Amino acid sequence: VEFGAGSVRDDVVMNTAPGAFGRTPLFADVRVRQAVAYALNREVLAKIWQGVSPVQDGWLPPSHWANDPAGVTHYGYDPDRAAALLDEAGWVDQDGDGIREYHGEGGEYACQRGSWDISEGTPLAPVLIYPSDSLRQQIAESVRVDLARVGISVQSQAVDMAQIFA
């Protein structure tokens, strides 16, 4: 599928830093972000969103002059690899409830913003905020199901579009 000017796309933005609202930096470790990329079945998401496939890797369409396919990491659907990355990053389900908890040591941000830390035993349970329409509700449910397979408990929260852009 070729995407041109005016194509519509949705992005998943992951919080990597604690904010003014006391957010836990669940995605500070690059391996967690990579795990999410491997855990999401983007072919299914693309079919829900547009009824088309294949999924485009990155923001630039394949025909764009600046698109360098060799320089883009391709994250195919691979829940086993996602689970292994989460294990490496210290997210392990030690209590057997199906939700991973943090048992790591924190780390340093790659972008030189300092260090990050997550409290021992914090569940990997991010909140997915999405515009409140039926299409995005279907997408949010697909994301929830995919991430649950690897031990991430996604809580979905529909928000009115006007509120999101306010």
Side-chain angles (χ1 to χ4, degrees):
V1 174
E2 184 67 25
F3 295 93
S7 294
V8 177
R9 69 165 208 271
D10 273 5
D11 298 314
V12 175
V13 179
M14 295 178 242
N15 176 41
T16 61
F21 305 107
R23 296 177 299 205
T24 302
L26 301 176
F27 303 103
D29 190 317
V30 67
R31 295 170 294 190
V32 178
R33 298 189 303 274
Q34 291 169 340
V36 168
Y38 283 117
L40 292 176
N41 190 333
R42 295 184 305 150
E43 292 289 334
V44 169
L45 293 173
K47 288 177 184 171
I48 293 170
W49 176 241
Q50 299 175 341
V52 297
S53 182
V55 172
Q56 179 176 309
D57 286 307
W59 294 2
L60 297 174
S63 62
H64 192 279
W65 66 268
N67 187 335
D68 176 12
V72 175
T73 302
H74 300 276
Y75 293 96
Y77 180 57
D78 191 344
D80 292 334
R81 187 159 183 195
L85 284 165
L86 291 170
D87 287 343
E88 275 181 39
W91 292 96
V92 181
D93 179 16
Q94 288 187 350
D95 61 12
D97 66 355
I99 301 169
R100 293 172 179 268
E101 308 88 32
Y102 191 66
H103 303 285
E105 299 177 11
E108 294 289 322
Y109 286 107
C111 59
Q112 300 171 349
R113 282 193 291 170
S115 62
W116 57 269
D117 191 20
I118 299 172
S119 298
E120 175 74 17
T122 298
L124 189 47
V127 177
L128 174 62
I129 298 170
Y130 64 92
S132 58
D133 62 58
S134 62
L135 177 65
R136 287 187 179 89
Q137 183 178 11
Q138 292 174 50
I139 290 171
E141 179 59 15
S142 183
V143 167
R144 187 195 66 73
V145 168
D146 284 348
L147 295 183
R149 285 188 186 112
V150 297
I152 302 173
S153 177
V154 174
Q155 314 302 308
S156 298
Q157 180 180 347
V159 177
D160 181 70
M161 188 73 83
Q163 194 176 6
I164 287 176
F165 290 112

